[in-house]
Structure formats: structure tokens, C-alpha cells
Amino acid sequence: MSDQATPAAATRPSALREFWYYFSENRGAVYGFWFFVAFVLCAALAPWLAPYDSAEQFRDHILQPPVWQEGGSWAFPLGTDPLGRDMLSRLIAGSRFSFFVGVIVVSIAVSGGVMIGLLSGFAPRWLDTIIMRIMDIILAFPSLLLALVLVAILGPSLTNAMIAIAIVFQPHYVRLTRASVLAERQKDYVTSARIAGAGLWRMMFVTVLPNCLAPIIVQGALSFSTAILDAAALGFLGMGAQPPTPEWGTMLAEAREFILRAWWVVTFPGLAILVTVLAINLMGDGLRDALDPKLKRS
Amino acid sequence: MTQPIVKASNLARFYEVKDGFLSKPKTVKALAGVDFELSPGKTLAVVGESGCGKSTLARLITMIEEPTEGTLNIDGTEITPSVWADMRETVAIVFQDPYGSLNPRQRIGQILEEPLVINRRDMSAADREAAAREMIEMVGLRPEHYDRYPHMFSGGQRQRIAIARALMLDPKVLVLDEPVSALDVSIQSQILNLLVELQDRLDLAYLFISHDLSVVKHFADDVIVMYLARAVEKASKETLFETPRHPYSKALLSTTPHADPEGKKERIKLEGELPSPMNVPLGCAFAARCWLATEACRKSVPNLEGTDHKVACLHPL
């Protein structure tokens, strides 16, 4: 993919090509990116990709091992679970849930966190203090525990788990944004925007915010994967997605008693979580490098 | 003589500093009453050591902060916070550090067009681009620089960009806050020559803040010497460099390096430190370090007196 991306010397390369050029310098990020694309496609096309319905039980094929092991068959390439459901179909269907958890949690946490952080960075001291103390209180709880409490209050379901995780993640963005805003506000270019007559809104969103985005994007990419992990953890604890749902964490929880007898039931959902999280983290690193103009060469 | 464009009288700025939980906040006098006039096409240099109030003066003139006392009149308008927004086009600033003064996320074109976007809303995008390109040429950059990011430029080029941005709104007053002290010497002269050329062409008034006396000698028309928030001497450049009358100015001038190795050096070494602005001694602030100080100096603050060559000293040289 890198051959098409050399920017022409004379004309300004389009923003997308330029982005790809710098992004593709990081090999790991490219692998992460392609895996992520595959993951998204898988989530989008789940009903057509999956060989069976994720809830369909084949009572004759309970705990059938994967195809390469003795007793496996091509009918169920990754084996079946204790209720005779096809593992592959369930994993493909589960990618949808994980993807939605990531997208929704990160967008709620980032948009809320960045807004509050930006406000806090520009606010008078008393308001800043109030906001930051509230964030400190949220941060003082162990995050999974707080999410558990929130789910217990809201009632166990995947939606509530997502809301709970988003609330737990919010303070990280608030602090990150505020710290960057405070650092950037000291710089002369902000003063010079002010002397040019920029209003508060313009300074917040046009002058300062773009310069604070690099760490936020990296944090966003990283917490996309953490969100998937936390949702899986809540599912595992029985507080997230409820049983028939093929959510990866819930699948792990359901299968834990078979860990010695039927390794595939536990391993594949775990592996799916691991690989997805790893790919997103790699992609996040590449994203940061590509989006920071200071790392670009002329 | 032409009408002055900036008139400042008794300009002062105090800051309150909290000194612990229960103690009363203290007042720091960053600037304690400075008067000056600045005419179009002229350069007024403000010199003094760190902490003497030079940059505070710049912040007042550029309308980032409100003076605590005194009046400021720019282009015939009395400056109060309510007219700040209307006066933004008249005053612009060039900062010391060319690495921090340009937004790293914006291309040069965007940086130059931003003042226009904010202040000339009716201007079309094409007109803005044309104006920016014209300005790029005027400050000696090349047209292809329009699309580049600040990090692709050297310090001198960045300072040219900063000057270009300052000039985008056709200001009448340009505050230069040590514009060349972050650059190396060969680049300094290029930037200074550019500034001189622009001044001739656009009839700009410069408020030139510096602690580099060689640069001031090259560049200024009038000079104000500041010491601890006050002006201690004010004169034309020639007069001041020939016959400094305040002991502090004399000491300051004696530190300028000379190119002539044979010439005799009369370097005056000052004893002691600059007093803390939180705890200014009674009387002349310079008295503690002055070799001419008498009892009278420690009792009352001398006023800036004289007609053309003003000096605030009881025992001028």
C-alpha cells in the first residue's frame, strides 16, 4: 500500500494521502489498521458471514472440538459450546457487540471529557477546582468497581454497562484535556490569537483544542480497547450482556467450567479479545504519529 | 512634528500576589507610572534588565491587560476594555520566541489569514489568500511557503512569518517584544533590516522592547531606560548613548561590548541585586546599588524631569 502514497513534491498532497503516508511508516500500525478494518467489516456483515444463527443449538454436537482436532468437522470449524452452538458464528456475532461497546463508550467519554476539560482549562479558578475535585472523586474509585456499582444501580444490561464504563473513563479525558489546555494556553500563539481579536470560543476550539488532540486521540484509541476489555469483564462478572447474547466476555464466563475439558470454548473468545485490543492499540500509536505535525518532515 | 499615535501617561499595572493561606495579599508593582509618546514612523526602545516591567508594558499596549492606573490613548481613542475589540486592528505584536508564537497545527496561510477571518468578516476567501500571499512576499518568504507548517522553518523565517501575521491588519503600532534576542547574530541583522524597511514603507510606529543595547543603538529613535517598574531616563538615542545622565543608564551602557580591542574599557560593575518588586525600598529604587547615592536618595522617589532629555535622579551625571 505504500507505493501509492508518496506525496508529490510540487503540489500539496491531499490530506488523506498525506495522512496515509505518515501512518504507513509504522508497520505495526498498518497491521493493526487492517485487522481493525477486518474487525469492522466482520461486525458490519455479521449476519451474512456467520454460518449459523448464534443462538441455534445443535444438540447432537455438544462440545465438539475444532476441525483440526480429532472429532472435529468442517460443519463447525471452531467447535461448539456446551449447548451445541457454533463457536465461529458466536464469535462473529460477538464482534458486533464489542465494536459497539468501543464506539459508544469512547464517543461518550471523549466528547464529554474534552468538553469538560476544555471548560475547566479556560474557567475561572473556582469552577476549575470544583470540576477537578469531582473528577478526582471518580478517579479515586477502582474503575471496574465503580462500573460494577453503576451497573448494579442501573440494572445489568449491555447498554447500562456501556454508560457505566463511559462515566468511569470520563475523568481521564478531562484531566488530559485540561493539562494540555493549561500548557498550550501559556504559549505565545494563543496570546497572539487573542491580540488578533479571537473570542473565547474561537480560542478554545480553533486555537487551543487542535493542539491538545494528539494525546486525546491516543488515549481514545487505547480506551477503545480498554472499553472492550471492561465490557468483557462486566460480562464475565454477569453484570454486562446477559447470557444468550454472544458477547465475548459473557462467553468466557459461561465457559469457565469447561476450561480443562474443552479448551476451545474459553480460548477463542479470549483470543478474539486479545487480538482486537492489540490491533487497536497498535493503530492508536500510528494514529498519534500521523496526526502530529511536529513528527512530520518537510 | 506629526501627531503621536500612542500617548501613555502615568501607566501602571499592579498584581496581587497571595503569599500563603492567611496572610494579606501583597501588591507587586510591575509597572509604576510610565509616560511616553510614540509617533508614526518612529521607534521607541524600552531597555532594562529582566523584571523591570518591559513586558508588562507590552501587555498593556497590546490590550491584553488593563492598566491599574493611568491612561492610554492610541490613535486618538482612549483605551478602556470596552473599546479593546475595536482597537485590535491598530496594534499588533511580534514575540520573542518564534518557536512558541506560531500555532503548530496551522499552515502559514491559515496563520496569516486568521486575523482577517476574525476582523474582516466580509472578506472573501480568495481575497484573504491574495492578501496573505502578498504579505509572504513582502516579508521575504517564497510563495510555496504558503502551504507549509511552522516546524518546517528556521527561527529567522518563523520570525518573518510572525512579522507578516502582525502586519496582516495594517496596524499603525507594532510592539516588538525582544524580536531578535532568540535569533543568532547574522539572522538578527536580516530581521532588523526587514523591520526598518517595513517601517519606511508602511510608516509604522515601533515600540521596541529589548535588553540588547547594540540592537537598540542600531534601531531606535528614542530610548526609555527602565529600572524596577519605573522609567529612569528618557532621551533620543544619540543623546542617551553619548551622555547618559542616570547612573543606572551609564552602568548599563558600559556593559555593551565594543568592537575595538584597543579602546579603553570603563566597565561599571554594580553591586547587589535588583530589589524584589514585592518589597521596593523607600526612595529611589536604584539607591542601594548606586555609587552616588546619598541620604536624600533613600527618602524620596525622584521624578522624571527635564525637557528633551529626561532623567529621574537627584544627582544626575
Side-chain angles (χ1 to χ4, degrees):
Chain A
M1 281 314 280
S2 55
D3 55 332
Q4 56 151 28
T6 10
T11 57
R12 177 164 138 194
S14 79
L16 207 64
R17 281 183 77 149
E18 196 181 295
F19 168 78
W20 182 256
Y21 175 76
Y22 290 104
F23 185 78
S24 60
E25 297 211 324
N26 186 337
R27 273 271 205 77
V30 177
Y31 292 138
F33 173 73
W34 288 118
F35 186 87
F36 185 71
V37 169
F39 170 63
V40 173
L41 285 177
C42 180
L45 304 174
W48 296 278
L49 277 178
Y52 309 103
D53 185 89
S54 64
E56 197 179 349
Q57 302 180 3
F58 300 93
R59 288 292 181 172
D60 302 338
H61 300 275
I62 287 169
L63 285 179
Q64 184 177 319
V67 60
W68 58 88
Q69 216 176 343
E70 213 184 317
S73 75
W74 274 108
F76 307 105
L78 296 182
T80 55
D81 74 355
L83 293 175
R85 292 174 296 195
D86 179 38
M87 285 300 291
L88 182 63
S89 307
R90 285 179 70 73
L91 286 177
I92 291 173
S95 64
R96 281 203 146 173
F97 294 99
S98 292
F99 182 72
F100 277 123
V101 166
V103 168
I104 292 175
V105 167
V106 169
S107 29
I108 296 176
V110 168
S111 51
V114 166
M115 284 298 164
I116 300 174
L118 203 56
L119 185 72
S120 176
F122 277 91
R125 188 175 287 177
W126 62 269
L127 184 58
D128 180 37
T129 311
I130 293 175
I131 294 173
M132 289 325 286
R133 286 305 86 77
I134 293 173
M135 294 305 143
D136 284 348
I137 291 170
I138 299 179
L139 277 175
F141 289 99
S143 61
L144 199 57
L145 203 64
L146 181 60
L148 264 177
V149 171
L150 287 170
V151 173
I153 296 168
L154 298 168
S157 79
L158 193 57
T159 321
N160 290 344
M162 290 193 288
I163 295 171
I165 297 167
I167 292 173
V168 170
F169 282 1
Q170 191 114 307
H172 297 277
Y173 291 97
V174 175
R175 297 195 74 139
L176 205 61
T177 312
R178 174 177 172 270
S180 314
V181 166
L182 289 183
E184 293 298 323
R185 263 185 72 186
Q186 303 298 322
K187 297 199 177 155
D188 282 342
Y189 72 86
V190 181
T191 314
S192 99
R194 218 165 116 195
I195 291 171
L200 188 63
W201 291 107
R202 192 183 174 84
M203 274 205 314
M204 279 165 83
F205 290 98
V206 180
T207 312
V208 172
L209 185 59
N211 285 296
C212 304
L213 278 183
I216 295 169
I217 288 171
V218 177
Q219 176 77 15
L222 295 179
S223 58
F224 194 100
S225 54
T226 326
I228 293 176
L229 272 181
D230 278 7
L234 284 178
F236 185 80
L237 295 171
M239 296 300 236
Q242 293 305 302
T245 321
E247 201 270 323
W248 294 342
T250 317
M251 284 165 75
L252 269 179
E254 281 176 70
R256 77 178 167 249
E257 49 192 293
F258 303 99
I259 193 160
L260 293 175
R261 225 158 24 104
W263 58 270
W264 59 92
V265 197
V266 196
T267 310
F268 290 126
L271 217 54
I273 296 172
L274 171 79
V275 176
T276 310
V277 167
L278 183 67
I280 294 170
N281 283 355
L282 287 173
M283 194 180 74
D285 274 353
L287 219 54
R288 178 194 51 199
D289 295 351
L291 291 175
D292 190 349
K294 273 173 276 182
L295 297 173
K296 288 180 188 173
R297 294 156 318 196
S298 41
Chain B
M1 200 174 146
T2 44
Q3 197 66 19
I5 182 120
V6 180
K7 273 193 232 168
S9 64
N10 196 28
L11 215 54
R13 171 76 204 180
F14 306 151
Y15 294 102
E16 294 228 317
V17 177
K18 280 226 177 96
D19 188 34
F21 178 52
L22 284 175
S23 56
K24 229 170 78 177
K26 285 185 173 171
T27 310
V28 173
K29 295 189 175 180
L31 195 66
V34 172
D35 303 73
F36 65 87
E37 285 182 354
L38 180 55
S39 305
K42 295 284 176 196
T43 301
L44 174 68
V46 180
V47 298
E49 59 197 287
S50 312
C52 71
K54 294 174 302 197
S55 292
T56 306
L57 185 64
R59 292 176 78 83
L60 295 184
I61 306 296
T62 49
M63 295 170 282
I64 305 174
E65 282 175 19
E66 197 184 345
T68 317
E69 278 171 20
T71 55
L72 178 63
N73 186 311
I74 297 176
D75 203 14
T77 313
E78 199 73 16
I79 299 300
T80 53
S82 54
V83 298
W84 279 5
D86 305 325
M87 297 302 293
R88 293 275 179 223
E89 295 191 24
T90 319
V91 185
I93 188 166
V94 176
F95 290 100
Q96 173 179 15
D97 175 16
Y99 291 88
S101 62
L102 303 174
N103 190 337
R105 291 265 160 195
Q106 289 181 324
R107 293 173 191 270
I108 304 312
Q110 281 172 283
I111 290 176
L112 297 185
E113 285 165 30
E114 187 171 39
L116 298 177
V117 173
I118 296 167
N119 290 294
R120 311 251 166 94
R121 287 173 173 279
D122 46 342
M123 209 166 171
S124 76
D127 287 350
R128 282 200 299 267
E129 183 172 339
R133 287 189 182 276
E134 194 185 325
M135 191 57 75
I136 285 177
E137 200 181 320
M138 190 147 105
V139 297
L141 294 168
R142 291 201 303 274
E144 65 263 30
H145 291 156
Y146 181 86
D147 278 332
R148 302 214 176 145
Y149 284 103
H151 68 94
M152 299 171 177
F153 293 92
S154 66
Q157 286 175 312
R158 284 172 187 234
Q159 207 59 309
R160 285 175 193 267
I161 297 164
I163 292 168
R165 173 183 54 192
L167 295 178
M168 281 309 282
L169 291 169
D170 297 319
K172 294 174 177 158
V173 182
L174 200 53
V175 176
L176 303 163
D177 190 354
E178 310 205 19
V180 296
S181 61
L183 308 174
D184 60 46
V185 181
S186 58
I187 310 293
Q188 282 192 2
S189 63
Q190 289 176 16
I191 297 293
L192 290 173
N193 289 340
L194 172 69
L195 287 170
V196 171
E197 191 193 313
L198 291 171
Q199 185 170 43
D200 287 345
R201 203 188 309 179
L202 304 172
D203 204 28
L204 293 164
Y206 286 163
L207 182 72
F208 186 80
I209 291 168
S210 180
H211 55 235
D212 185 342
L213 290 167
S214 329
V215 171
V216 169
K217 200 170 179 176
H218 174 76
F219 196 65
D221 294 303
D222 296 304
V223 183
I224 293 179
V225 181
M226 287 185 64
Y227 186 79
L228 209 71
R230 286 174 199 281
V232 293
E233 188 162 3
K234 189 177 154 195
S236 70
K237 173 185 74 182
E238 290 80 12
T239 326
L240 188 89
F241 277 83
E242 287 303 313
T243 54
R245 295 195 67 209
H246 195 282
Y248 178 68
S249 313
K250 175 130 179 146
L252 203 61
L253 290 177
S254 76
T255 61
T256 325
H258 292 283
D260 179 13
E262 302 293 312
K264 65 172 178 159
K265 283 182 199 148
E266 234 186 273
R267 195 158 171 168
I268 301 166
K269 274 203 176 152
L270 290 178
E271 304 282 319
E273 291 283 313
L274 193 72
S276 156
M278 305 244 278
N279 189 14
V280 182
L282 204 68
C284 175
F286 188 58
R289 301 167 78 184
C290 183
W291 64 97
L292 294 171
T294 58
E295 243 349 271
C297 293
R298 297 192 177 85
K299 281 187 182 129
S300 66
V301 182
N303 290 322
L304 199 63
E305 278 161 358
T307 46
D308 281 339
H309 188 168
K310 293 180 181 173
V311 61
C313 186
L314 295 177
H315 311 288
L317 296 163

